[in-house]
Amino acid sequence: MKKSTIVLLITLVSMLFLLSSCANDTDPKEKSLWIVTEESRISDGMNWQTEQIIKAFKKANPDVTVTLEILPNEKEHAQERSVRLEQIRTDILAGNGPDVYLIPNETLMNDPLFKDVQQAMHNGVFADISSYYDADIALGKEDLVTEVMDGGVINGARYVLPLRYTYPVLYTDRQLMQAAGLDLEAASDFSSLLNALLASGEPQWYCTPASSAATGYAPYLPQMIDYASGKVLINEAQMADFLRTCLDQSNAVSPNFSMSSYISKGTFFTEQQPIDMGWLHNAVALSAISKAENQDLVAIPVRAADGDLVVCVSYYAAVGNGCSNPELAYKFVREFLTEDVQFERERLELSKYSATAIASGLPVRSKGKANELWTMYKKINKGFGSDEEQTRRKKAVMAVSLTQADLSILDTHIDRVHFTTSFDQQTMADAVGKVLLEQADIDTVAKDLIFQLQVHAAEG
């Protein structure tokens, strides 16, 4: 072969290599992120956090194009939302779905993007980000609640990053509980807890666990589907019994105690209102109020029908399986797990008035962080109180110091993690509605519900 021919071939190969490199460098998929989220229920909520993280991310990565899509509000734009969700689901099936999902779990949404997050994980909708998460030494994972974070793991593969979580908790004053002759802490599940409350014989103790819009019946459900095997784990008789127990919640009340209600009205535990059916994230405020009022707070986790303590993930992040640059996408979503974002430091420092937490639930970075949690809640409530008595109460409660011992409920062992936007949760809510509103036969409803669960599990 002539020397000139060899030189020509080397030149052509070099040009092809350069062209290939340029194509990779300019490929919009490699240097872009399409992020899908829901509209915040409050103006300064998660959307604000997301926008701030995007600004910082773009500044640190000027060659990356970030597109934030906030899905249409279901209440005001139902048809538009339906059309858009159908388009995104089609893109997902074609392998061209969003790069990043930032999703709240709320049963208020009749048509969530993912009707069953756990099934979506099993079906490969999300990318496995285990290698990036495991190698992320700077994240400080020792402060994350491991059991909650592992709710996004299947067979060692990490598909979802939970951001916030909660579960139902019964709060009361120990002296009031003992005076009523009750031992509520001995209750193993929410059915036995209801029976213990009724045993008091006093109407003010008849309050039952609330079916919150944020979690519905999820915290009380036994494990109903094994997604790995595609089998339903509960039979018709068990389902009928559980439905009957759910009906006892027809007199349920929502949480009444909060930092704002205490500052504004002086609301705390009394003989007339001895209990509060709240959530885990209420523990911070109620612990401080009880200290200010010299009360002995009792916080009792409300367990599911099978005795498990079920955590509900109220916000999560995930990388789409069709993402062409999962490492870049992980670099973005991991920012939601950092201390500043988890404890809302920047947003609360900028706020001149009272603020509301970005989403229901506690930050997953709550392990051993009693002081940080209390600091966050004090900032959230700093604007409450107008008259002299309200100001006095606020100063008294804000002067309280909280330690890990005051928030020992945060150390309760977690048995299962549930994503409340799930098929079993939605069908359970529909079934209870049929019995309550349509007076349908419980055994018939239970049989139909088991059939629906079997079909859904098989489809997975």
Side-chain angles (χ1 to χ4, degrees):
M1 184 178 293
K2 294 182 179 180
K3 183 178 180 180
S4 58
T5 304
I6 295 174
V7 171
L8 178 60
L9 286 172
I10 292 174
T11 302
L12 288 172
V13 170
S14 299
M15 289 177 64
L16 286 171
F17 178 79
L18 288 172
L19 286 171
S20 175
S21 298
C22 290
N24 288 333
D25 288 341
T26 58
D27 185 351
K29 289 186 177 180
E30 293 294 324
K31 294 296 181 179
S32 65
L33 287 179
W34 169 21
I35 301 163
V36 168
T37 190
E38 295 284 0
E39 181 181 312
S40 287
R41 296 175 63 190
I42 50 177
S43 59
D44 60 348
M46 182 60 92
N47 292 163
W48 187 92
Q49 290 277 31
T50 303
E51 289 164 1
Q52 302 313 303
I53 291 174
I54 288 175
K55 287 179 183 178
F57 189 80
K58 290 172 71 174
K59 185 176 181 180
N61 303 273
D63 57 336
V64 178
T65 300
V66 181
T67 302
L68 174 63
E69 178 177 1
I70 301 175
L71 295 173
N73 182 297
E74 185 175 58
K75 184 177 180 180
E76 299 172 359
H77 307 284
Q79 185 173 359
E80 181 184 350
R81 178 183 178 86
S82 179
V83 171
R84 187 66 191 119
L85 290 186
E86 189 62 33
Q87 292 172 340
I88 293 176
R89 288 166 183 156
T90 300
D91 288 339
I92 292 172
L93 289 174
N96 300 316
D99 298 298
V100 172
Y101 302 98
L102 294 169
I103 307 293
N105 273 309
E106 294 179 295
T107 56
L108 283 173
M109 295 181 187
N110 295 321
D111 190 15
L113 176 57
F114 298 112
K115 296 181 182 297
D116 194 328
V117 177
Q118 286 159 295
Q119 191 175 67
M121 285 194 286
H122 279 272
N123 288 347
V125 172
F126 308 123
D128 177 9
I129 54 175
S130 302
S131 59
Y132 311 118
Y133 182 84
D134 293 344
D136 194 347
I137 300 174
L139 188 57
K141 288 169 285 190
E142 64 276 3
D143 295 332
L144 301 175
V145 182
T146 303
E147 298 95 332
V148 178
M149 298 306 296
D150 286 351
V153 177
I154 296 175
N155 296 326
R158 189 174 299 275
Y159 297 108
V160 169
L161 295 177
L163 302 178
R164 297 178 78 88
Y165 73 103
T166 194
Y167 55 78
V169 178
L170 181 148
Y171 297 98
T172 187
D173 171 65
R174 188 172 299 281
Q175 185 175 350
L176 292 172
M177 182 180 70
Q178 292 175 345
L182 298 174
D183 184 13
L184 301 179
E185 292 170 292
S188 60
D189 57 63
F190 90 107
S191 178
S192 60
L193 182 60
L194 296 183
N195 291 332
L197 290 170
L198 292 171
S200 71
E202 300 293 335
Q204 62 265 36
W205 290 91
Y206 288 178
C207 165
T208 60
S211 176
S212 163
T215 62
Y217 294 98
Y220 317 118
L221 289 170
Q223 187 169 356
M224 301 174 76
I225 297 176
D226 180 355
Y227 289 102
S229 64
K231 293 181 179 179
V232 174
L233 304 177
I234 185 171
N235 59 38
E236 292 178 16
Q238 292 170 322
M239 179 62 73
D241 287 342
F242 183 68
L243 280 171
R244 290 186 181 93
T245 306
C246 285
L247 297 181
D248 290 335
Q249 293 193 75
S250 57
N251 294 320
V253 298
S254 298
N256 293 306
F257 295 175
S258 65
M259 185 65 72
S260 60
S261 68
Y262 172 72
I263 294 172
S264 301
K265 304 175 184 178
T267 307
F268 56 97
F269 300 105
T270 64
E271 290 183 358
Q272 290 72 39
Q273 194 170 18
I275 56 176
D276 188 55
M277 283 295 185
W279 305 94
L280 179 65
H281 50 279
N282 302 135
V284 181
L286 294 187
S287 294
I289 292 169
S290 293
K291 267 198 165 184
E293 293 293 336
N294 294 313
Q295 292 184 325
D296 185 2
L297 181 70
V298 178
I300 304 168
V302 183
R303 298 179 176 275
D306 55 5
D308 283 353
L309 182 62
V310 182
V311 155
C312 296
V313 174
S314 53
Y315 226 106
Y316 72 89
V319 175
N321 196 31
C323 179
S324 60
N325 195 332
E327 184 175 8
L328 182 68
Y330 173 78
K331 188 177 178 181
F332 176 80
V333 298
R334 57 95 64 196
E335 291 303 306
F336 289 87
L337 290 173
T338 59
E339 276 203 18
D340 285 347
V341 176
Q342 284 273 293
F343 297 113
E344 305 191 65
R345 288 172 181 165
E346 183 180 4
R347 187 172 73 85
L348 294 176
E349 286 296 332
L350 292 174
S351 175
K352 295 180 181 180
Y353 306 102
S354 61
T356 306
I358 56 173
S360 62
L362 279 178
V364 290
R365 188 175 289 279
S366 59
K367 186 183 292 184
K369 296 290 184 179
N371 185 59
E372 287 82 351
L373 289 169
W374 179 218
T375 298
M376 179 177 71
Y377 276 84
K378 284 194 290 187
K379 289 180 180 179
I380 288 173
N381 292 277
K382 65 183 178 181
F384 287 105
S386 54
D387 62 29
E388 184 177 342
E389 185 60 21
Q390 290 175 0
T391 302
R392 182 198 66 78
R393 282 194 293 265
K394 182 171 75 171
K395 286 182 178 180
V397 73
M398 294 299 178
V400 165
S401 296
L402 292 184
T403 66
Q404 287 304 123
D406 297 312
L407 296 176
S408 59
I409 188 172
L410 300 185
D411 299 323
T412 305
H413 174 72
I414 295 166
D415 297 297
R416 283 191 283 125
V417 176
H418 199 293
F419 292 85
T420 54
T421 304
S422 62
F423 182 83
D424 54 356
Q425 159 59 28
Q426 296 290 350
T427 50
M428 177 60 67
D430 292 342
V432 172
K434 285 181 180 178
V435 176
L436 283 176
L437 301 178
E438 302 174 16
Q439 302 298 307
D441 176 69
I442 287 181
D443 292 327
T444 302
V445 171
K447 182 177 181 179
D448 180 60
L449 186 51
I450 291 295
F451 176 74
Q452 291 182 56
L453 290 173
Q454 289 172 335
V455 171
H456 178 70
E459 287 175 347

